[in-house]
Amino acid sequence: MTVTAATMLLNGTLQANGRRGYYSYPEGGGGSGGGVSIAAGALSGTGTLEAIGANGFWAKSGSGGGGRIAISYDTWSPQELTVSARGGGSGDGIPASAGTIYVKDNAEADGDLIVDNEDVSSELDTPLLTNLVSFKKLDLQNRGRLEIASDTVPHLWLDDLLIGDTCVLTSRSRDLLGLRISVINTVALQDGGRIMVDGDGLLGGGDSDNTFGDLGETFAPDGITPAAGSSAGSGGAYGGLGGGPEPNETYGYNEDPTQVGSGGS
């Protein structure tokens, strides 16, 4: 749904919500939220914008992920709209992750990105898919979880970063360039919020995607290319040596710890 207007008074509802899964045991997954794009000169009102994922029909059916909402404006007063792109799963169905809300004042160079799952408790991350490399503010709220992949955004630039309680900012699994973020002003990591890249480094031995079989992955001398590492049940090494008879060699520098960790065997 795309709505463009010189003046928009929104006291009603614009919605592109998913449909609840049909009766079909054991399936019955819910539909995702859709897309809502608003471009207004003068925006006002106390109405609602929704792109909410639907619940699954059964407790074991997947709920739909949240959709996407984008709002751009010249003026917006008062800013009292209710905007929701949460995932489904607040009732029946396996909980899904939040969609995205992008809000931009046309007078500003960058807009705000909001990921808010409205306390729907999902362990799924919302992947960041964007053509942008910067946002004015990245705001994770109410169990919002955002995954940033380096092949999508190698380095994310922000004015401000807010990670609320129960929210997670993370990288994609085996992302060898790691998570890189530069914040001009403030990083506000609230109690219970996490920036977490656990287990997102090089692969361990026996992983189905590990081309070195039962050997753990480490870095070659160039510090970029994966290579065969630990063996014989030994732990991976990075700053410190892994336990066991044959860990890989340590790598990197104390003053520049920008590489990911190695895998155990």
Side-chain angles (χ1 to χ4, degrees):
M1 177 195 308
T2 301
V3 180
T4 302
T7 301
M8 182 177 297
L9 172 62
L10 178 56
N11 287 327
T13 301
L14 294 179
Q15 62 186 59
N17 298 332
R19 178 177 290 179
R20 187 183 180 194
Y22 286 108
Y23 178 89
S24 178
Y25 185 82
E27 288 83 22
S32 74
V36 178
S37 178
I38 301 296
L43 178 61
S44 63
T46 58
T48 300
L49 299 175
E50 292 182 344
I52 298 172
N55 293 341
F57 192 91
W58 305 92
K60 294 185 178 181
S61 301
S63 298
R68 298 192 191 278
I69 296 174
I71 304 169
S72 62
Y73 62 92
D74 294 331
T75 62
W76 182 2
S77 181
Q79 293 192 5
E80 295 180 352
L81 295 176
T82 300
V83 184
S84 177
R86 66 167 174 82
S90 59
D92 294 329
I94 300 169
S97 67
T100 57
I101 300 169
Y102 180 67
V103 179
K104 185 177 185 298
D105 181 337
N106 292 328
E108 301 282 350
D110 298 311
D112 296 341
L113 180 64
I114 302 165
V115 180
D116 183 347
N117 216 25
E118 298 181 18
D119 286 327
V120 173
S121 183
S122 173
E123 295 300 312
L124 300 173
D125 302 322
T126 298
L128 178 61
L129 298 177
T130 182
N131 292 317
L132 306 173
V133 297
S134 60
F135 297 102
K136 184 176 180 182
K137 179 173 67 175
L138 174 58
D139 189 356
L140 309 186
Q141 303 176 6
N142 304 311
R143 300 187 184 275
R145 302 172 62 103
L146 184 67
E147 176 190 274
I148 300 177
S150 64
D151 59 358
T152 302
V153 182
H155 194 142
L156 183 63
W157 296 84
L158 305 169
D159 285 4
D160 296 285
L161 172 61
L162 173 61
I163 301 177
D165 177 29
T166 70
C167 297
V168 176
L169 179 63
T170 188
S171 64
R172 189 173 60 187
S173 179
R174 197 179 181 270
D175 194 332
L176 301 190
L177 293 181
L179 182 64
R180 283 172 165 74
I181 298 174
S182 293
V183 181
I184 296 172
N185 297 321
T186 301
V187 175
L189 185 60
Q190 296 183 358
D191 185 19
R194 291 176 289 167
I195 300 176
M196 181 178 72
V197 293
D198 296 355
D200 289 343
L202 292 157
L203 298 176
D207 189 286
S208 61
D209 293 324
N210 187 343
T211 59
F212 302 107
D214 290 334
L215 304 180
E217 284 188 326
T218 187
F219 283 115
D222 64 7
I224 299 172
T225 308
S230 63
S231 61
S234 300
Y238 179 14
L241 283 170
E246 298 180 25
N248 59 284
E249 294 183 1
T250 59
Y251 54 92
Y253 299 100
N254 306 320
E255 68 277 13
D256 189 31
T258 57
Q259 293 160 297
V260 299
S262 65
S265 60

